[in-house]
Amino acid sequence: MTVLIALVVVLVILALVVPGTAVRVLREYERAVVFRLGRVLEVKGPGLVLLIPAVDRMVRVGLRTVTLNVPVQEVITRDNVPARVTAVAYFRVLDANRAVVEVEDFLAATTQIAQTTLRSVLGKAELDTLLSDRDRLNDDLQKVIDQQTEPWGVKVTTVEIKDVEIPENMQRAIARQAEAERERRAKIINAEGEFQASAKLAEAAGVISRNPTTLQLRYLQTLREVGGEHNSTVIFPLPIDLIRPFLDPPAPAARRPAPEGAAGQDPSGSTNSP
């Protein structure tokens, strides 16, 4: 009787324990890598997965995209400028078997690969490129990291540089450089404006020289503008013809011919007899 009771208790325990170890339910984004006596089987899931107790061992692998925050990395750029760079990487598992069999911990391995690749790739770039051409650097990082994680069945989809910290003295130097560049552009624009204005003035002078009446019209327009802006100013308009003699340079005086009787005079005023 005692043996029968013990047998019933064992059967009840097995009935409760065996379903928990032999039956697994996987979600839509999960896959099961099953090892039977140490040998890997075909990937199973999602849904109901049946295992042989004490024979099969299952490793659950997620297929969703993982966000990996790359810790701060100390980088020396190509032009010997120290910088602190942080980045973020997005990856997902494409082959669950290789992600379990080919590498011990694919998450830790991908993290280490991302850190070393970030230092090596950014170390070949100059500071200006690091600050202004991040799209190309992001593409380079993604290609290099993905090439190294591909044998593990891991696909790196995106790598983005989040922040770049540079020393304070370099920030001041960059600010001075930007200010000097803006001043250079302002001077060039001002010089181009002066050049265009002088060209237009030369054209206006040519028009006025061909038609003197335009100078009179311009003179009257200037008087109107001055009278409208400065009401306390008294203006006496004068015809241009009255002041033209003062504006035109005097003509050189012609040398007068010597009188006929003065041909034989010497400088002292005495005459010479033949």
Side-chain angles (χ1 to χ4, degrees), residues 18-59:
V18 169
T21 58
V23 179
R24 301 291 174 85
V25 178
L26 299 181
R27 299 180 179 89
E28 183 65 31
Y29 56 84
E30 293 178 332
R31 298 294 183 271
V33 179
V34 180
F35 293 89
R36 178 166 295 172
L37 297 178
R39 297 181 63 87
V40 65
L41 302 179
E42 185 180 354
V43 176
K44 298 183 178 181
L48 187 64
V49 178
L50 300 178
L51 304 175
I52 301 176
V55 177
D56 293 343
R57 185 176 66 88
M58 188 191 77
V59 178

Side-chain angles (χ1 to χ4, degrees), residues 223-251:
L223 293 179
R224 181 176 177 276
E225 293 176 357
V226 173
E229 295 179 359
H230 306 281
N231 296 327
S232 61
T233 304
V234 179
I235 302 174
F236 295 97
L238 294 175
I240 296 296
D241 297 338
L242 296 180
I243 61 175
R244 186 178 300 277
F246 300 98
L247 299 177
D248 296 337

Side-chain angles (χ1 to χ4, degrees), residues 113-149:
I113 286 293
Q115 294 180 20
T116 55
T117 304
L118 185 68
R119 289 194 295 268
S120 62
V121 171
L122 298 186
K124 299 177 183 178
E126 296 183 356
L127 180 62
D128 293 340
T129 304
L130 182 59
L131 296 176
S132 60
D133 196 6
R134 291 192 183 183
D135 292 338
R136 183 178 62 82
L137 293 177
N138 292 335
D139 293 339
D140 294 343
L141 289 170
Q142 185 270 331
K143 292 177 182 177
V144 174
I145 298 174
D146 182 60
Q147 184 178 3
Q148 298 181 63
T149 59

Side-chain angles (χ1 to χ4, degrees), residues 44-172:
K44 298 183 178 181
L48 187 64
V49 178
L50 300 178
L51 304 175
I52 301 176
V55 177
D56 293 343
R57 185 176 66 88
M58 188 191 77
V59 178
R60 194 185 302 260
V61 179
L63 302 183
R64 291 183 295 181
T65 300
V66 180
T67 303
L68 175 63
N69 289 316
V70 182
V72 179
Q73 301 298 310
E74 299 285 346
V75 178
I76 303 296
T77 60
R78 187 176 179 180
D79 48 354
N80 297 324
V81 178
R84 293 168 55 88
V85 183
T86 57
V88 60
Y90 299 90
F91 69 91
R92 60 191 300 264
V93 176
L94 297 182
D95 191 335
N97 267 346
R98 287 193 295 170
V100 174
V101 176
E102 299 294 337
V103 64
E104 181 179 0
D105 186 350
F106 66 88
L107 178 59
T110 304
T111 302
Q112 295 300 320
I113 286 293
Q115 294 180 20
T116 55
T117 304
L118 185 68
R119 289 194 295 268
S120 62
V121 171
L122 298 186
K124 299 177 183 178
E126 296 183 356
L127 180 62
D128 293 340
T129 304
L130 182 59
L131 296 176
S132 60
D133 196 6
R134 291 192 183 183
D135 292 338
R136 183 178 62 82
L137 293 177
N138 292 335
D139 293 339
D140 294 343
L141 289 170
Q142 185 270 331
K143 292 177 182 177
V144 174
I145 298 174
D146 182 60
Q147 184 178 3
Q148 298 181 63
T149 59
E150 191 271 337
W152 308 335
V154 176
K155 174 63 178 179
V156 179
T157 56
T158 307
V159 178
E160 293 287 342
I161 299 174
K162 292 199 302 184
D163 189 21
V164 178
E165 297 180 4
I166 58 177
E168 186 177 355
N169 57 348
M170 287 301 303
Q171 295 180 13
R172 292 194 296 266

